Amino acid sequence: MPTIEEELERRSLLYSLLMPVMSQSVQGLEKGKGMYFLFIKSEAKTPGGLVARPVLTSYYKSSHFRERPYDPYTNYTSPNETILCPDSYQSMYSQMLCGLVQNKEVLRVGAVFASGFIRAIRFLEKHWTLLCRDIRTGTIDPQITDPSVREAVMRVLKPDPKLADFVEGECRKESWQGIITRLWPNTKYVDVIVTGTMSQYIPTLDYYSNGLPLVCTMYASSECYFGVNLNPLCKPSEVSYTLIPTMAYFEFLPVHRNNGTNSISVPKSLNDKEQQDLVDLVDVKLGQEYELVVTTYAGLYRYRVGDVLRVAGFKNKAPQFNFVCRKNVVLSIDSDKTDEVELQAAVKNAVNHLMPFGATLTEYTSYADTTTIPGHYVLYWELSLKGSTPIPPSVFEDCCLTLEESLNSVYRQGRVSDKSIGPLEMKIVESGTFDKLMDYAISLGASINQYKTPRCVKFAPIIELLNSRVVSNYFSPKCPKWIPGHKQWCNKN
Ligand code: AMP
């Protein structure tokens, strides 16, 4: 994405709006610190000599972040050096250590996306013994070799055997339910994005935080920053973002979705008709869905961001939008097209079958397997098993069927009438598989802050990685229900 120096100021402006909004809902935040897990990624140069790096890396490396004047509202437990460390293990370790050492001062915790925060908790699950040893002795593990990180951590680290005993006692307990409120007892909320595909992490966050408010403060992208949530304590399902009209020139392409069939196409530049259909920010209609189109100061012209938004209401006259989905995530075997929202809803329905067994879905992704004839949908599920009752195969088969029943009419038609789609397959993968997937994406250049588990995978090495960790697989035992009347209607789309 092209960007320019002045864009950092615009982005800083949006950041500066977050805490004043937040303080209207939660008082006293200036009396303590935020424990945020923030990361940078190493940068590359384009052949023309420009720096290429993720947007957040640019921001954290900029003077806007590094040299921010003291402000009780941007007072973080992580010293800048730990955030700016390019080694993700050292960065995470040192940020966690500093967060633990200052546990009483922490009033809010977070990361950019929910997935990043959960990754931090998992890191703690794996490494708490080392961290406790460091807290006890006031020294840093030798694996942390970056001198600036060591120096910065030493400024906050003192031998504290009492705290080490406390952290060890909590981490040693079998259940990690409420671990956030146990280790950081003054935490008032968890600041992470849980809208869009991130919504599937809500149960895990609720579990770790004992139901603390989950706060989605902003909506942004590499192309440009968009807006803020003016009602941050609302339920995640009700979050809406108010676009800040000075961030870019915003236009909206109406989206028409019929009967669950997704008529959204793969991103491409706007054709003449679409250019004429564009609506200005002042003209959007309540309840209507739109694709977001931006013209940015950095030079993108009528650029399709790839997100679908729904007008949820107005603040005075400023429209507020629900994030509906990222549109280019689709599964398709034949004429069926399944978008992220449908898949998410189907997964949510299917997961109910696991509840009696104390199992929850940690992560999932999907794949349109066209190597079989006919092709079929494959869902990869990673489960967290808390109960001791084994889950019988018939329950997984029920999950498969519920998934199919929940998918759109064109899909079910393909299954029942056209036989163009084979039975849906579920592959259960071993614990930690999705962490490996993330590690893999990071090794290829993804940024930890901006990484989102892909809800659909196509890249052969990733599919290989997933398949190498399958512990069992199941197929839908019969065809889902389908009413023929839908066929012609769907053909019109
Ligand atoms: P990136 O450019 O990699 O930072 O990704 C930007 C994309 O992340 C956006 O276009 C959205 O699809 C997604 N995203 C960013 N903020 C939010 C949010 N608050 N809720 C849901 N999705 C978001």
Side-chain angles (χ1 to χ4, degrees), residues 126 211 229 416 452 460 492:
K126 267 197 207 154
N229 175 2
V416 177
K452 304 143 200 104
K492 283 187 195 149

Side-chain angles (χ1 to χ4, degrees), residues 6 15 17 23-24 86 103 114 122 126 136 175 182 189 339 358 414-415 421 424 478:
E6 68 172 76
Y15 283 125
L17 298 175
S23 307
Q24 289 178 351
N103 74 325
R122 294 249 174 82
K126 267 197 207 154
R136 190 177 306 285
S175 166
R182 277 155 44 193
Y189 64 90
D339 71 24
R415 280 280 286 127
I421 306 173
L424 182 143
K478 59 181 186 187

Side-chain angles (χ1 to χ4, degrees), residues 160-181:
D160 191 342
K162 227 168 117 196
L163 178 64
D165 285 345
F166 166 74
V167 175
E168 204 173 303
E170 292 302 330
C171 293
R172 218 184 263 289
K173 286 183 186 154
E174 200 174 317
S175 166
W176 270 50
Q177 183 164 9
I179 195 72
I180 296 169
T181 38

Side-chain angles (χ1 to χ4, degrees), residues 1 55-56 112-113 192-198 216-227 239 241 292 305-308 323-327 340 447 449-452:
M1 295 304 148
V55 56
L56 290 169
V112 179
F113 287 109
V192 283
I193 291 174
V194 284
T195 39
T197 73
M198 296 291 153
C216 300
T217 54
M218 64 186 279
Y219 169 42
S221 76
S222 307
E223 295 85 342
C224 80
Y225 281 18
F226 305 121
V239 169
Y241 300 100
L292 182 60
V305 172
D307 292 346
V308 177
F323 181 90
V324 179
C325 67
R326 178 113 193 145
K327 69 179 180 168
E340 207 176 319
S447 125
N449 294 298
Q450 286 162 255
Y451 177 80
K452 304 143 200 104

Side-chain angles (χ1 to χ4, degrees), residues 115-293:
S115 47
F117 189 74
I118 289 171
R119 193 169 162 87
I121 300 296
R122 294 249 174 82
F123 184 93
L124 179 62
E125 273 183 274
K126 267 197 207 154
H127 301 286
W128 60 264
T129 37
L130 284 181
L131 289 156
C132 286
R133 197 193 55 199
D134 287 357
I135 299 172
R136 190 177 306 285
T137 56
T139 56
I140 314 168
D141 188 73
Q143 285 183 76
I144 309 306
T145 51
D146 185 319
S148 67
V149 171
R150 293 184 70 88
E151 204 186 305
V153 174
M154 281 320 290
R155 287 200 292 268
V156 282
L157 187 65
K158 302 202 172 47
D160 191 342
K162 227 168 117 196
L163 178 64
D165 285 345
F166 166 74
V167 175
E168 204 173 303
E170 292 302 330
C171 293
R172 218 184 263 289
K173 286 183 186 154
E174 200 174 317
S175 166
W176 270 50
Q177 183 164 9
I179 195 72
I180 296 169
T181 38
R182 277 155 44 193
L183 292 178
W184 295 277
N186 301 318
T187 308
K188 298 183 184 202
Y189 64 90
V190 183
D191 184 350
V192 283
I193 291 174
V194 284
T195 39
T197 73
M198 296 291 153
S199 64
Q200 64 114 10
Y201 298 102
I202 293 172
T204 311
L205 286 171
D206 282 343
Y207 177 81
Y208 285 134
S209 74
N210 261 345
L212 280 177
L214 302 177
V215 171
C216 300
T217 54
M218 64 186 279
Y219 169 42
S221 76
S222 307
E223 295 85 342
C224 80
Y225 281 18
F226 305 121
V228 296
N229 175 2
L230 294 178
N231 184 15
L233 289 190
C234 71
K235 282 197 273 178
S237 57
E238 287 163 12
V239 169
S240 68
Y241 300 100
T242 306
L243 298 198
I244 306 296
T246 48
M247 289 293 133
Y249 193 82
F250 295 116
E251 292 178 285
F252 300 85
L253 183 66
V255 168
H256 302 287
R257 288 150 39 95
N258 300 310
N259 189 32
T261 305
N262 179 11
S263 60
I264 305 165
S265 54
V266 175
K268 52 179 183 283
S269 53
L270 295 160
N271 61 31
D272 289 349
K273 161 91 175 55
E274 286 167 335
Q275 301 237 10
Q276 279 160 23
D277 288 347
L278 286 177
V279 171
D280 271 325
L281 186 60
V282 290
D283 294 324
V284 296
K285 299 278 175 291
L286 187 65
Q288 170 73 50
E289 288 184 4
Y290 297 94
E291 213 190 300
L292 182 60
V293 174

